[in-house]
Amino acid sequence: MLNTTSIMIVVVHCASGSNRKFGVLQNVVLHFVGDLATAVRKYTDIHFGLYYSLFAWYHPLFLQDKSNEFKTKDYVTEVMRPQLHEIVETYRPEVIWADGYGGAYDDYWGSTEFLAWLYNSSPVKDVVVVNDRWGHGDLCKNGGFFTCHDHYNPGVVQKFKWEDATTIQKGSWGYQRNTNINGYFTTDELVDLLVTVVSVGGNLLLNIGPTHDGRIMPVFEERLLEIGQWLSINGECIYNSVPWLYQNDTMNSNVWYTSVGNDTSGSSLVCAMLLDWPNNGSLLLGALLSHHVISVEMLGLSGVSLKFSSTSDGLLITLPAIPPSSDLKWAWTLKMVLQ
């Protein structure tokens, strides 16, 4: 199972290097990938993954196969398959995020044969996971986890592992220098998205578009750092969590739940994440109506137990006073012990 927000997807259009005719460009790209893979594994505990575009938009062999209604497979044989084998054997990614099937079905791409090798014989066969973009018609049907379509968020628990692939810049996966500030999702919006996706069992893939020379612009940096700041306080209710009995509160649509296992006494640990702060300083949770709550605390307020009482409508919690200078913002997490 993917650990939410812990997968690193490196975007490299290896296919743009085509074959050995484009050796200089290809070697530069692959040298960068190798350096990055080494650094990620040496200095972090992040799982290293690779994005791979099955087709190259203007490659002559792909265009030739396309003009032949994909009855020929010269591009697959000479470019795509050798590259995929090379990146797996050289860089050993734990995630392969396929994309860009160009209207061709998976039998053209030879996806079944490649995945059989990947899962049974490759050097990453025991750890690798893949998505569902291996040919026309495969979305939400075939893969280790489903993406279904960009910005996929069903809002309810699914029977399969899924991922919401979305962007910080609205409407674009690349960098658009003429975008104004309203063209980017705010940190508040992105934290809300993270909470709602995780509460219903999803994984969030958050894309940024670097500049032509590889720089990450300040607006992207700010969003990533602030999400990281929020996770440094609330991450224990995100990482390795699973959906609880209720995902969204029955009375308060701004509250979403996750379950994070049990404490040493065997009591259940449930997190309620509040997306908006109530004006009256109290919070009523309808989903807790029939549960015996032992304690309630807010993450980020160490050693502070919150007051609560049971009512005919649910659990009524008195929220603490939080000063404007506090790092507690965007969304607030209540960790509850249930018997």
Side-chain angles (χ1 to χ4, degrees):
M1 179 179 290
L2 298 178
N3 289 327
T4 306
T5 73
S6 66
I7 298 298
M8 180 175 187
I9 302 297
V10 182
V11 180
V12 258
H13 290 279
C14 291
S16 63
S18 78
N19 54 24
R20 299 306 174 186
K21 295 178 182 178
F22 298 81
V24 174
L25 175 58
Q26 186 180 53
N27 288 338
V28 169
V29 171
L30 294 182
H31 181 69
F32 166 77
V33 174
D35 288 347
L36 187 56
T38 299
V40 167
R41 291 182 172 121
K42 182 177 180 179
Y43 298 110
T44 78
D45 58 358
I46 296 174
H47 297 273
F48 182 74
L50 288 174
Y51 171 104
Y52 184 85
S53 177
L54 300 180
F55 81 129
W57 293 70
Y58 306 112
H59 193 287
L61 290 181
F62 175 76
L63 294 177
Q64 176 181 293
D65 286 348
K66 185 177 181 180
S67 68
N68 293 333
E69 298 180 342
F70 299 117
K71 294 177 182 178
T72 57
K73 299 184 179 182
D74 293 339
Y75 176 77
V76 175
T77 302
E78 297 187 31
V79 180
M80 188 272 280
R81 285 293 292 274
Q83 287 184 345
L84 271 176
H85 278 265
E86 181 177 4
I87 66 172
V88 170
E89 292 169 345
T90 305
Y91 308 114
R92 306 198 174 191
E94 294 180 54
V95 179
I96 298 179
W97 213 95
D99 200 10
Y101 39 83
Y105 288 87
D106 55 27
D107 57 350
Y108 165 76
W109 295 112
S111 300
T112 300
E113 294 80 5
F114 171 74
L115 293 174
W117 170 80
L118 184 70
Y119 281 128
N120 293 283
S121 304
S122 79
V124 294
K125 61 184 177 64
D126 296 325
V127 295
V128 71
V129 293
V130 303
N131 65 340
D132 55 351
R133 302 188 181 194
W134 294 94
H136 181 71
D138 282 356
L139 286 174
C140 238
K141 293 180 180 179
N142 300 308
F145 62 95
F146 293 170
T147 62
C148 298
H149 54 74
D150 293 345
H151 315 292
Y152 175 68
N153 184 356
V156 294
V157 174
Q158 301 296 300
K159 295 180 180 180
F160 48 82
K161 185 62 182 177
W162 59 276
E163 179 170 83
D164 182 353
T166 194
T167 60
I168 290 179
Q169 185 172 336
K170 300 175 182 178
S172 175
W173 294 88
Y175 171 64
Q176 295 180 330
R177 63 182 181 179
N178 61 344
T179 302
N180 61 36
I181 194 64
N182 294 323
Y184 300 92
F185 288 108
T186 65
T187 301
D188 193 31
E189 291 171 324
L190 293 170
V191 169
D192 286 2
L193 176 63
L194 173 61
V195 168
T196 56
V197 166
V198 172
S199 292
V200 294
N203 193 64
L204 180 64
L205 186 157
L206 190 59
N207 172 82
I208 63 170
T211 62
H212 70 284
D213 54 355
R215 289 175 293 121
I216 297 176
M217 298 305 290
V219 64
F220 293 131
E221 180 182 4
E222 179 190 59
R223 298 295 189 271
L224 294 176
L225 289 173
E226 289 182 339
I227 292 172
Q229 178 185 341
W230 186 85
L231 284 168
S232 69
I233 297 172
N234 303 278
E236 69 175 279
C237 289
I238 296 291
Y239 296 113
N240 297 317
S241 66
V242 296
W244 187 48
L245 178 64
Y246 295 90
Q247 292 81 57
N248 195 198
D249 190 65
T250 56
M251 296 190 65
N252 191 330
S253 62
N254 291 317
V255 175
W256 295 79
Y257 295 97
T258 60
S259 173
V260 289
N262 302 302
D263 64 10
T264 55
S265 68
S267 298
S268 299
L269 300 176
V270 174
C271 299
M273 288 171 279
L274 176 61
L275 304 186
D276 286 312
W277 193 267
N279 293 327
N280 60 5
S282 62
L283 179 66
L284 181 63
L285 300 179
L288 277 299
L289 177 62
S290 59
H291 294 270
H292 178 60
V293 179
I294 300 174
S295 65
V296 180
E297 64 175 290
M298 178 172 288
L299 296 186
L301 295 179
S302 179
V304 178
S305 296
L306 303 187
K307 295 180 179 180
F308 61 90
S309 59
S310 295
T311 72
S312 58
D313 294 319
L315 187 72
L316 183 63
I317 302 172
T318 301
L319 296 175
I322 299 178
S325 60
S326 172
D327 288 332
L328 301 180
K329 50 189 173 182
W330 301 305
W332 302 264
T333 303
L334 303 179
K335 184 179 178 182
M336 300 173 289
V337 179
L338 276 58
Q339 194 172 52

